[in-house]
Amino acid sequence: MRVAVVVFPGSNADWDALYTLRDIAGADARYVFHKEHELGPVDAVVVPGGFSYGDYLRCGAIACFSPIAGALREFAARGGPVLGICNGFQILTELGLLPGALTRNLRLRFECRDVTVRVEAPGVFTAGLRRGTVLRMPIAHAEGRYHCDAGTLAVLEAEQRVAFRYCSADGVLGREPTVNGSLAEIAGIYNERRNVLGLMPHPERAAEALLGSDDGLALFRSLEAHLGASPRLGRA
């Protein structure tokens, strides 16, 4: 599979994403700079974590005006798989590819630690995982508190588009203190077509047992399986 990793000024998890995709998942992965206007012949796109434009204004608020934004929207509209991780999730909401917003954490401090999340819904990046599966992955964010209005939350719940929720190690919701105050303990959501996923935990930083967990690799294996069964959208 051919995967573009979009790099913005301030991205700091772009190498982690490229390494995991290329050296662990075996993908043909490459960087695409944010000033490009085309993604090239790719099958999927990863918008990595970091601090695009130093997180001035809101996180991701400047990145959504980058030249690559048009190509990202067009690729997603054609059904192309797009994964936004941490700052990538924030950018996808600013682009309008996902609803809601990521705001300051409840305790107003940067959270950097392992968390557990429960798989809630099927989609391109979770098709290979049973609902209720618990994954352990790290978070590293100051603005990861998911919020949306009541109507949007009702739609997300009714359409089963909440992909991940923060949970205890055995998968129970509400037992542990909230990670960041996210609405309904939401850690990740899909778009309507389930080809665009935004999530705050870092699967690319939990892709080898050496790192303490390889749970995140399951998302990239699900993507690989999806692409193996689908036409390659980026191919000319």
Side-chain angles (χ1 to χ4, degrees):
M1 59 182 177
R2 301 165 302 177
V3 185
V5 178
V6 181
V7 180
F8 295 90
S11 295
N12 72 355
D14 49 333
W15 168 246
D16 299 333
L18 188 80
Y19 170 76
T20 295
L21 285 160
R22 186 187 63 193
D23 297 338
I24 300 178
D28 177 8
R30 64 183 180 87
Y31 289 138
V32 172
F33 195 46
H34 76 111
K35 286 190 175 180
E36 300 291 336
H37 289 81
E38 302 291 338
L39 290 164
V42 297
D43 305 309
V45 177
V46 171
V47 184
F51 303 90
S52 58
Y53 294 92
D55 280 355
Y56 291 114
L57 298 180
R58 298 182 309 276
C59 296
I62 301 177
C64 73
F65 294 104
S66 289
I68 200 64
L72 265 173
R73 288 193 178 98
E74 192 274 337
F75 184 77
R78 286 192 287 126
V82 178
L83 172 62
I85 304 167
C86 196
N87 187 226
F89 187 5
Q90 296 158 345
I91 292 171
L92 294 183
T93 60
E94 293 289 341
L95 283 167
L97 294 178
L98 291 171
L102 285 308
T103 62
R104 293 293 303 273
N105 295 341
L106 180 63
R107 287 179 282 274
L108 301 180
R109 68 186 186 192
F110 191 89
E111 299 283 355
C112 184
R113 55 191 167 93
D114 281 0
V115 299
T116 45
V117 295
R118 194 173 76 182
V119 177
E120 298 286 291
V124 168
F125 296 94
T126 51
L129 295 165
R130 287 185 304 171
R131 189 171 297 177
T133 298
V134 176
L135 305 178
R136 185 159 61 90
M137 298 185 286
I139 56 169
H141 60 248
E143 298 184 27
R145 184 183 186 186
Y146 182 78
H147 184 76
C148 64
D149 59 44
T152 300
L153 178 61
V155 170
L156 290 174
E157 297 285 11
E159 296 181 354
Q160 298 184 20
R161 287 164 48 194
V162 176
F164 296 100
R165 296 185 206 269
Y166 299 107
C167 66
S168 66
D170 56 355
V172 177
L173 300 177
R175 179 186 295 167
E176 304 289 336
T178 183
V179 169
N180 53 25
S182 280
L183 188 66
E185 296 298 335
I186 288 174
I189 58 170
Y190 275 114
N191 67 340
E192 295 90 335
R193 296 179 64 174
R194 299 175 189 275
N195 61 300
V196 178
L197 171 66
L199 79 164
M200 291 312 296
H202 286 260
E204 82 285 11
R205 291 177 175 171
E208 289 182 288
L210 179 66
L211 300 175
S213 172
D214 60 0
D215 290 355
L217 191 58
L219 277 71
F220 302 108
R221 293 302 184 208
S222 289
L223 170 64
E224 184 178 36
H226 168 79
L227 292 174
S230 303
R232 291 194 160 185
L233 296 166
R235 180 165 290 170

